[in-house]
Amino acid sequence: MKGLPLKPKFVAGIAVLALALAYMIYAGVTQSAVYFVTPSELHTAAKTGKAYRLGGMVEKGSVNWKPATLDLRFTLSDGQAKVPVRHHGTAPDLFGEGRGAVVEGTWMSEGYFQATLIMAKHSEEYKAPHDAASPGYQELMKSLRSDQK
Amino acid sequence: MTFVRRAWAVVWKDVLAERRSKETVNAVLFFSVLLLFVFEFTLGADRDRLASVLPGLLWLGVLLAALLGLGRSFVLERENECWEALLLTPGDKSAVYVGKLAGNLLLMALVEAVVLTLFTLFMNVDVGRALPGLLLVLALGTLGIAAVGTLFGAMTAHVRARELLFPVLLLPVLVPVLLAIVKSTEALLAGEPLGVVSHWLKLLVAADVIYVVVGLLTFDVLLEG
Amino acid sequence: MTRWLGVVAMLGVLAGLVMAFLVAPREMTQGNVQRIMYVHVPAVWVAYLAFLVVLLGSVAYLWSRAPAADRTAHAAAEVGVVFLGVNIATGAIWGKPTWGTWWTWDARLTSVAVVFVIFIGYLLVRQMTDDPERGARFAAVVGIVGALNIPLVHFSVYWWRTLHQPPTFAKPGPAAASSAIGAALLVNFVGLLLLCAYFIAKRYDLLRAQQEATA
Amino acid sequence: MTSDHWGFVAAAYAVAVLALGGYWRRLVHLERTLKTPTLRRRRSAGR
């Protein structure tokens, strides 16, 4: 078996493998799928009791947190629509007003979103303090949804 | 003999042996029926919850049955001391791979037909309109599972603790295929058109091509024993 | 030679630590906890490069049956698993304060975990095979399947769900991280890459010594 | 502004040092057993 000659079978096989991998990577990079619904999308087709992942920006001035009862309420927005969210428990550090967040939970018939898990969305940018330019709203929404890229 | 005829000889041998003993098919089919019981007992009380996890359960059933069946295919060759005979196959050894793969596909198709029927009957799955798309997903997914399963089955037949190592090797490699079939089954059963899951179909095609080609190229290395 | 590589790697890692803690600034939104990134992110890059070495070594071994190729693949797989383990552990520790959870089944975490398990399988096959030559052949097949599977795992899990910042550097266009942070990341990457190369070289030497001792 | 979580940073780097250092120690240990002729047979038989 030593010093195997370059059989046509291997050449063809490796070429097909390379093609399949390239195709996979191409399909993967160009695929744009939605990983979570936005508040507007939720409003147009909300099913009560169905589990959703909802992503948006936490509205300024909407966070209402009662440490005694661990009751957290806030509003997620995408610029057009707003969804009131309720959660029982603490929120992660990066969670804050004017920042992106993704919540998992269900849409309740009472007209609010009951979250079982709150995840603060990382910005894709790591910034040193001095080049701080607070990202605009559009940019933040874009970074929230840019996972599709 | 041509490549196809050599592969066919392997399939025919396996089908014939199975038809006489009926060991694997009987055990695997009975196992999948038992799985239905287990699913019903552990999750059955809540119809709504069952409906939401059904695509996962369906595939879990097929997968567990496949693990049993695929693992046996080469162990039988070894136990019956037929390995040397396989090794003596003239010409390109990948014909043996194709033959074994075809045999395993037959077995899995049988299991899937049974599991799907049982699910429609006992768990009120409405397959109906989704069936053509579902069959496509099923076919692509099965090919992927069987391609890696046949390759790794030939390998683990020679390894200590093979019952353990076979699933341990197979399952993580098959994660992409599993995600693709479960997610597309979910979408199709929810009444979505096939276009919605086109990216999963692309992934399945790419995975099938990669697994089968790697299987063809490396099988003789494993057949050395 | 391996020893000198070790010395250079040590210096590289020290330089990385200096960059991570003394040069890089406090990150704006996350604060100092972001400094975990300087070990977390390079570790996964290094691990994936190690798995590329596994692929090349495995193909070369099946091709030539040269024990050297097998030793390279074996050493690289072991070291890659160690680095990927570091990546997963530091990621969990980073995730707790920033996301609020140690572990979430998000895309990159899951895909890294799956790759981790695949290569543990690679090492297990070797361990569970009595004949080392047979183990080498079997492991090579697992290594090839496992490495080629990485893009499939990546995209499938990515489509399944995602909640992780997109890669900071893999993206075309201007680098998103500010320059000092990027520089620190790069130095740490080079440091860990040297460490990885040193580990692989040392493991390779040991494997050869072991084989010579038993032969 | 978010707090710094130095504890988490320390934990992460400690874990990294433990894992990488532990692997290095394992390699050194292996090297020593291979170099010691009396120990070699016993140790390698155990492996």
Side-chain angles (χ1 to χ4, degrees):
Chain A
M1 269 301 194
K2 210 172 164 100
L4 221 61
L6 208 64
K7 279 191 206 160
K9 173 181 143 181
F10 283 91
V11 179
I14 289 167
V16 172
L17 278 181
L19 270 178
L21 278 177
Y23 173 70
M24 187 58 240
I25 291 165
Y26 171 77
V29 172
T30 53
Q31 173 65 34
S32 62
V34 179
Y35 296 104
F36 48 80
V37 297
T38 61
S40 335
E41 285 161 355
L42 189 73
H43 271 304
T44 51
K47 277 188 207 153
T48 311
K50 187 175 184 252
Y52 289 100
R53 315 179 104 218
L54 175 70
M57 200 170 93
V58 182
E59 279 266 294
K60 286 228 160 65
S62 72
V63 175
N64 181 354
W65 159 242
K66 295 195 185 87
T69 56
L70 288 178
D71 196 26
L72 176 69
R73 294 183 184 193
F74 57 92
T75 311
L76 277 182
S77 137
D78 61 355
Q80 285 122 40
K82 294 174 184 176
V83 173
V85 181
R86 293 186 196 175
H87 176 68
H88 184 77
T90 48
D93 252 22
L94 279 187
F95 177 84
E97 293 182 353
R99 297 218 188 122
V102 176
V103 296
E104 283 181 359
T106 45
W107 177 248
M108 310 301 278
S109 52
E110 290 88 351
Y112 65 91
F113 191 86
Q114 181 65 50
T116 50
L117 181 66
I118 297 183
M119 288 170 285
K121 186 68 183 68
H122 268 219
S123 161
E124 67 191 278
E125 299 186 18
Y126 294 97
K127 283 198 178 76
H130 54 82
D131 54 27
S134 112
Y137 188 83
Q138 282 305 316
E139 207 179 318
L140 209 137
M141 271 325 280
K142 215 178 79 198
S143 97
L144 253 173
R145 306 205 67 173
S146 67
D147 283 338
Q148 301 144 24
K149 279 277 150 55
Chain B
M1 275 201 287
T2 62
F3 187 90
V4 178
R5 279 192 45 206
R6 274 177 286 136
W8 179 248
V10 175
V11 184
W12 185 240
K13 167 192 83 68
D14 278 1
V15 171
L16 208 64
E18 186 55 43
R19 221 179 58 191
R20 295 201 176 130
S21 73
K22 299 190 185 65
E23 272 178 5
T24 308
V25 169
N26 280 349
V28 168
L29 289 186
F30 188 57
F31 177 72
S32 39
V33 175
L34 285 179
L35 275 180
L36 189 83
F37 276 69
V38 175
F39 291 158
E40 185 61 35
F41 291 154
T42 47
L43 302 154
D46 188 343
R47 278 283 145 199
D48 289 339
R49 196 176 58 181
L50 197 63
S52 66
V53 294
L54 213 75
L57 283 187
L58 189 76
W59 279 104
L60 200 61
V62 170
L63 189 74
L64 290 176
L67 278 180
L68 282 186
L70 297 186
R72 273 186 68 78
S73 155
F74 282 96
V75 175
L76 280 177
E77 303 283 359
R78 228 190 142 202
E79 280 171 359
N80 302 338
E81 293 176 7
C82 301
W83 200 278
E84 282 71 24
L86 281 183
L87 202 55
L88 287 174
T89 319
D92 198 343
K93 299 289 183 294
S94 45
V96 180
Y97 176 72
V98 173
K100 278 286 178 186
L101 176 59
N104 284 333
L105 280 174
L106 275 180
L107 176 68
M108 281 190 68
L110 198 64
V111 171
E112 277 160 11
V114 170
V115 170
L116 209 60
T117 318
L118 288 177
F119 265 70
T120 30
L121 286 180
F122 292 99
M123 299 213 170
N124 298 320
V125 198
D126 185 20
V127 178
R129 234 160 23 92
L131 196 60
L134 211 56
L135 286 181
L136 179 64
V137 173
L138 217 63
L140 289 174
T142 308
L143 180 57
I145 295 175
V148 188
T150 307
L151 193 64
F152 284 4
M155 183 188 304
T156 46
H158 288 280
V159 167
R160 273 182 281 131
R162 69 175 82 97
E163 303 81 5
L164 206 62
L165 200 60
F166 182 60
V168 163
L169 286 180
L170 191 60
L171 288 180
V173 168
L174 286 179
V175 161
V177 174
L178 293 181
L179 283 179
I181 49 191
V182 169
K183 283 285 148 185
S184 17
T185 307
E186 210 169 69
L188 290 172
L189 283 183
E192 308 267 15
L194 205 57
V196 171
V197 296
S198 64
H199 56 293
W200 289 121
L201 297 180
K202 283 181 203 163
L203 186 126
L204 281 175
V205 170
D208 288 353
V209 169
I210 291 172
Y211 297 154
V212 171
V213 171
V214 171
L216 288 172
L217 291 186
T218 60
F219 187 72
D220 46 355
V221 167
L222 301 179
L223 205 59
E224 280 173 37
Chain C
M1 208 216 94
T2 308
R3 170 160 303 169
W4 284 108
L5 189 57
V7 174
V8 175
M10 204 60 224
L11 289 176
V13 169
L14 281 178
L17 285 174
V18 170
M19 288 298 284
F21 284 99
L22 301 178
V23 178
R26 185 182 185 275
E27 204 267 339
M28 200 181 67
T29 43
Q30 288 196 22
N32 280 317
V33 73
Q34 177 266 345
R35 291 184 200 275
I36 295 176
M37 183 172 93
Y38 301 124
V39 59
H40 170 74
V41 173
V44 72
W45 291 346
V46 167
Y48 275 37
L49 281 178
F51 294 145
L52 184 65
V53 174
V54 176
L55 173 67
L56 298 178
S58 301
V59 172
Y61 177 68
L62 292 187
W63 198 274
S64 66
R65 301 295 166 98
D70 174 56
R71 285 197 290 265
T72 311
H74 186 175
E78 207 174 285
V79 176
V81 164
V82 170
F83 273 88
L84 210 55
V86 167
N87 169 262
I88 292 172
T90 53
I93 296 172
W94 192 9
K96 183 61 186 169
T98 50
W99 296 333
T101 165
W102 293 107
W103 180 265
T104 157
W105 289 100
D106 104 298
R108 221 168 304 166
L109 269 79
T110 312
S111 77
V112 163
V114 171
V115 173
F116 187 66
V117 179
I118 290 178
F119 279 92
I120 286 180
Y122 173 94
L123 296 174
L124 275 179
V125 168
R126 248 178 228 280
Q127 215 175 45
M128 299 260 188
T129 319
D130 295 318
D131 175 12
E133 188 269 344
R134 175 188 282 170
R137 272 185 288 126
F138 286 7
V141 173
V142 177
I144 291 170
V145 174
L148 292 180
N149 211 31
I150 290 178
L152 294 171
V153 171
H154 177 83
F155 286 114
S156 65
V157 175
Y158 209 63
W159 291 340
W160 173 53
R161 60 172 22 183
T162 187
L163 183 85
H164 203 294
Q165 62 281 31
T168 308
F169 284 103
K171 220 173 52 168
S178 47
S179 54
I181 290 176
L185 206 52
L186 193 67
V187 171
N188 273 282
F189 172 58
V190 173
L192 287 188
L193 193 62
L194 286 169
L195 189 65
C196 174
Y198 166 64
F199 279 168
I200 293 177
K202 193 157 178 71
R203 188 76 183 100
Y204 178 94
D205 291 348
L206 286 172
L207 283 170
R208 191 171 59 187
Q210 262 173 329
Q211 278 161 4
E212 276 163 6
T214 49
Chain D
M1 198 38 78
T2 44
S3 50
D4 278 330
H5 299 294
W6 279 113
F8 283 95
V9 179
Y13 277 86
V15 163
V17 168
L18 277 179
L20 297 175
Y23 185 67
W24 183 69
R25 274 196 50 185
R26 207 187 80 108
L27 290 183
V28 170
H29 183 79
L30 206 64
E31 190 178 34
R32 213 171 290 150
T33 51
L34 275 172
K35 275 194 182 142
T36 320
T38 43
L39 277 175
R40 187 172 72 200
R41 233 158 273 141
R42 220 176 299 154
R43 292 279 172 116
S44 59
R47 253 161 225 289

